[in-house]
Amino acid sequence: MKTIGKTTLIFTLMTIAMSAQDTIMPLWPKAIPNQIESEEKEVVEHTDDGITWVTNVQTPTLEVYLPAPKHANGQAVLIFPGGGYHGLAYDWEGTDIAKALTLKGVAGIVVKYRLPGSKSITKGKNVVPLQDTQRAIRLVRSKAAEWGIAPGKIGIMGFSAGGHLASSLGTHYKNKVYQWQDAADDLSARPDFMALIYPVITLGHPSTHTGSRASLLGGNPTQEEVDYLSNEKHVDGETPPTFLLHAMDDKAVPVENSTLFFAALRQHQVPATMHVYPSGGHGFSMALNDERLKNWMDLLFDWLANLD
């Protein structure tokens, strides 16, 4: 009986995964803001450890995975892969996560956002990723009815530098960073919740990730530029409920990034959950081969299921 039950479960999960829809669509219906056409080409490579690595993003997109309608719970999560604002770990911290979400009835939507080092970016390199994320969540909201998503259950999730971008959206969603293009831009850019996984939060020393800071702000930023995107400084009472996950031994992005943000959330009485593991390092994604960490997504799903 146990064997039959296990086989049935595996078959069910496979059926759900196969029914997930994969749609890729551009973010911008008109001219892409702060960008000119150039001879630069997007580069997709496969690293030695098997990760799909994307650089020089020219056309930002949504890649949409929807659960089977009978399993859908109305929630959606926009996912921002990490990569130090230099590239995107597109499958490792993107499409793999989206597919896992669909197995729990949650729509997973990967945002391929522009990177500030692109030669096509003409100005405002530090806000270009934020332009894409504001547009992304508005576009998803505009498609909510079509995709079977509840407009008030649309959240975001970011890994490493993608966590910085997610927390930037969660704290700067009111800021006007691009010109109106269509009716989607009339909708709110506020996420309903955030999940920040080993995130970069601050751009101030000594706790920042220097690579992300340099990619986003250059080598000699002003204090005003640093403060604007040190997101622990911009939490208020309307910041979305937040799930934080980090490892104490993270050598790339110090755990203080998460603890700083948690403290700011607590100060403003924003509902927050934080899990800090003693080990795990950085960039572990779903951590399927780590006995200590491999169940962290169960903690996330439990948190998602109990959101108000």
Side-chain angles (χ1 to χ4, degrees), residues 198 245-251 253-255 258 275-282 284 293:
Y198 42 85
L245 182 82
H246 224 117
M248 286 182 66
D249 66 346
D250 191 329
K251 305 299 185 189
V253 178
V255 69
S258 284
H275 298 279
V276 177
Y277 286 80
S279 61
H282 187 74
F284 48 76
L293 275 170

Side-chain angles (χ1 to χ4, degrees), residues 9 20 38 41 49 58 70-71 108 113 123 126 131 134 139 147 153 174 209 217 248 256 275 281:
L9 175 61
S38 73
K41 303 295 183 183
D49 50 0
Q58 300 298 299
K70 67 179 181 178
H71 295 289
Y113 56 91
K123 61 181 179 179
N126 61 325
Q131 290 175 333
Q134 282 193 4
L139 185 57
W147 293 344
K153 294 184 177 181
K174 293 181 181 178
H209 178 244
L217 299 182
M248 286 182 66
E256 284 78 10
H275 298 279

Side-chain angles (χ1 to χ4, degrees), residues 69-130:
K70 67 179 181 178
H71 295 289
N73 63 17
Q75 288 180 324
V77 177
L78 284 75
I79 305 160
F80 310 138
Y85 285 116
H86 171 68
L88 303 176
Y90 194 75
D91 54 352
W92 183 245
E93 295 171 345
T95 54
D96 286 356
I97 305 299
K99 294 170 187 176
L101 289 170
T102 65
L103 297 179
K104 294 291 187 176
V106 181
I109 301 168
V110 184
V111 182
K112 185 169 71 174
Y113 56 91
R114 288 173 294 161
L115 301 158
S118 169
K119 296 176 182 177
S120 300
I121 307 300
T122 57
K123 61 181 179 179
K125 292 178 181 290
N126 61 325
V127 299
V128 160
L130 183 58

Side-chain angles (χ1 to χ4, degrees), residues 8 48 65 107-108 115 183 207 219 259:
T8 303
D48 292 341
Y65 292 84
L115 301 158
S207 297
T259 58

